[in-house]
Amino acid sequence: MPKLKKTVSYAIGGSLAAFALFLILAATKNNASRRCQGLETKIKDNADQFLVTKEDIEKWVTQYGNDPFEGKIIENISLEKVEKRVLESGTVKSCKAYFDRHGYLVLDIEAFKPVGRILSNSENGDRYIDKEGNLFPISKHFSPTVLLISGNYINRLRSLKSEKNSDLLNLINTISEDEFWSAQITQIDVNENKEVNMIPLMGKNVIEFGKPENINAKFDKLLVFYKQILPQKIWSDFSKVSVKYEGQIVCN
């Protein structure tokens, strides 16, 4: 009886292994003959972003229609190559390509979200910056209202992701994320010494902020100016307001 049980166990095990092998071979054969049914693009938070469209993605993926994927054998399509084509645009933060069970090439896209626009003094043109310090091209579709950033220091940078520039990135994010300051400050100018001047929405004045350090203390002083000093005056009474020096608000 034990021998019979062992024989039956071997037979069942062999049958299962053969069936598994059959499924693998069948799937391989199926993938070898399956063809791409088309593209499906999914852009994360698409209702809240206007910089990249599904039409843009399709153009980049198909090399402007010169290399369509519909009808191609799925096994011959490199997903890595597809993702690379999209990312080379410089406008997309991430791209994940895969095939769904219906044979569609699906692209999960996350676009960059700008918090500032760097005004260029070169032929390279303006660029956007996101909260992580990535720089990326402006869009032909939409021009969002974001903080304007200018100056010799900022124009020579390729990104603000380094530790050296974390203070400047922190300043940009502080302005863009704060409802009051994002409404009051329209532009910052960063000179070659990394000192910041701010251009307010109202008036033709300059706010001398200094280096992007101790920013909370400086904004506290600036808030005192807005809440206590400015209500008693008008912007035209001042040509410059400085909060760069510790413990002082200097109005000229």
Side-chain angles (χ1 to χ4, degrees), residues 70-244:
E70 187 172 353
K72 279 189 174 183
I73 295 176
I74 288 177
E75 192 178 58
N76 296 336
I77 297 175
S78 168
L79 296 180
E80 183 179 354
K81 185 177 180 180
V82 169
E83 293 170 351
K84 184 179 178 182
R85 285 182 177 180
V86 175
L87 293 173
E88 282 179 343
S89 70
T91 311
V92 170
K93 184 177 182 179
S94 66
C95 173
K96 177 66 176 177
Y98 58 92
F99 284 99
D100 67 11
R101 62 190 181 90
H102 301 295
Y104 281 89
L105 176 56
V106 182
L107 303 175
D108 283 344
I109 303 294
E110 182 178 3
F112 286 117
K113 296 179 180 179
V115 296
R117 178 169 180 159
I118 297 176
L119 305 178
S120 176
N121 55 11
S122 69
E123 60 184 17
N124 295 326
D126 294 357
R127 297 168 292 171
Y128 288 129
I129 182 172
D130 73 354
K131 67 178 182 179
E132 296 172 3
N134 298 297
L135 304 187
F136 53 99
I138 61 173
S139 171
K140 62 182 179 181
H141 303 296
F142 180 69
S143 182
T145 302
V146 292
L147 179 69
L148 301 179
I149 308 167
S150 59
N152 292 333
Y153 184 88
I154 200 78
N155 267 290
R156 63 174 183 247
L157 298 178
R158 301 188 67 177
S159 81
L160 265 76
K161 299 184 74 170
S162 67
E163 182 63 29
K164 176 183 177 183
N165 291 309
S166 61
D167 52 356
L168 183 55
L169 181 60
N170 184 33
L171 174 62
I172 294 169
N173 286 333
T174 297
I175 296 172
S176 67
E177 293 170 3
D178 187 279
E179 184 177 358
F180 180 78
W181 295 123
S182 61
Q184 299 299 325
I185 308 300
T186 60
Q187 182 176 344
I188 64 172
D189 186 84
V190 190
N191 68 18
E192 60 275 3
N193 297 318
K194 206 179 182 180
E195 294 198 333
V196 178
N197 284 331
M198 298 179 173
I199 311 298
L201 176 65
M202 302 297 292
K204 299 179 180 179
N205 322 90
V206 174
I207 299 171
E208 190 179 47
F209 197 83
K211 291 186 180 298
E213 55 193 18
N214 303 317
I215 64 173
N216 289 333
K218 290 179 179 179
F219 275 121
D220 286 344
K221 289 189 293 182
L222 193 55
L223 192 60
V224 169
F225 171 79
Y226 271 88
K227 299 293 187 181
Q228 299 182 26
I229 300 175
L230 194 56
Q232 302 177 39
K233 302 283 185 178
I234 57 176
W235 261 117
S236 59
D237 290 338
F238 307 101
S239 60
K240 183 172 71 173
V241 176
S242 178
V243 294
K244 68 181 292 187

